Amino acid sequence: MAVVVVYESMYGNTHQIARAIGRGLTEAHIPAEVFSVDAARDREIRSGDVLVVGAPTHVHGLSRDSTRKAAAKEAQKNELEMDPAAQGPAVRDWLASLGKITGRAAAFDTRIKAPALFTGRASHTIARALRRHGFELLAEPESFLVTSTNQLMPEEEARARQWGADLAAKILPIQP
């Protein structure tokens, strides 16, 4: 069994959250590998693996080619730095490429700090896709919040680390 954290990131926030989740898992004695979607394409996912998958919320859900292009234009206009992973494929495409796999999983997203009714949550779409592929969810989908200027809220990295530790506690009791 491997624990693999896979993320899509535009401005680096989802990348930071993925690393924090990986640290939380590892500190709780569950070694985790953290990959961008691009790097995860070369990583074989096997039955029994645990996937933790995250992406930024774009227009109420997972990014599309058009929303990724709009995010790049927004970054240029507002002098925001794009994450190196932003050039790679999207979580939506990577999830579509997975076959039927038996394993456990969790989903997360980053989104603007506002009611989910207004922002949407990419994590719900990720969770549905993971279930369709045969994964059992370890936790409810989780959102980590960013400001309107695309910065992580101050407490979110620590909260992500704790969420990773909480996931580890759910993995440990049923390890073979």
Side-chain angles (χ1 to χ4, degrees):
M1 172 197 76
V3 178
V4 181
V5 180
V6 178
Y7 68 90
E8 171 187 340
S9 186
M10 295 305 293
Y11 304 123
N13 296 313
T14 312
H15 187 169
Q16 280 183 262
I17 293 298
R19 283 195 318 252
I21 292 167
R23 279 194 306 277
L25 285 157
T26 300
E27 289 168 358
H29 309 291
I30 299 290
E33 301 171 275
V34 179
F35 296 101
S36 68
V37 175
D38 193 34
R41 291 188 306 176
D42 297 330
R43 171 70 167 75
E44 182 182 357
I45 305 300
R46 296 184 177 109
S47 286
D49 285 352
V50 176
L51 283 184
V52 181
V53 182
T57 300
H58 283 215
V59 192
H60 290 272
L62 283 174
S63 70
R64 298 183 179 283
D65 192 45
S66 62
T67 64
R68 289 166 60 88
K69 286 177 183 171
K73 282 182 184 176
E74 185 73 16
Q76 204 169 34
K77 184 174 95 176
N78 294 308
E79 298 181 14
L80 294 170
E81 189 174 326
M82 296 292 287
D83 188 283
Q87 299 304 313
V91 160
R92 176 186 302 274
D93 302 323
W94 180 77
L95 285 168
S97 74
L98 290 178
K100 197 75 166 163
I101 301 171
T102 303
R104 291 168 288 158
F108 70 95
D109 63 44
T110 53
R111 64 181 177 85
I112 297 285
K113 183 180 180 184
L117 178 65
F118 299 123
T119 64
R121 294 181 63 191
S123 58
H124 282 207
T125 306
I126 295 167
R128 278 193 305 274
L130 289 166
R131 280 194 292 268
R132 276 195 310 270
H133 286 287
F135 288 92
E136 173 191 339
L137 293 183
L138 290 165
E140 289 297 313
E142 189 62 50
S143 289
F144 296 95
L145 305 176
V146 300
T147 67
S148 60
T149 58
N150 284 307
Q151 301 297 315
L152 278 177
M153 297 294 294
E155 67 282 356
E156 295 304 86
E157 197 166 345
R159 199 166 67 78
R161 197 170 180 173
Q162 182 59 54
W163 193 67
D166 293 346
L167 289 175
K170 295 175 181 183
I171 295 167
L172 275 172
I174 47 181
Q175 270 189 321

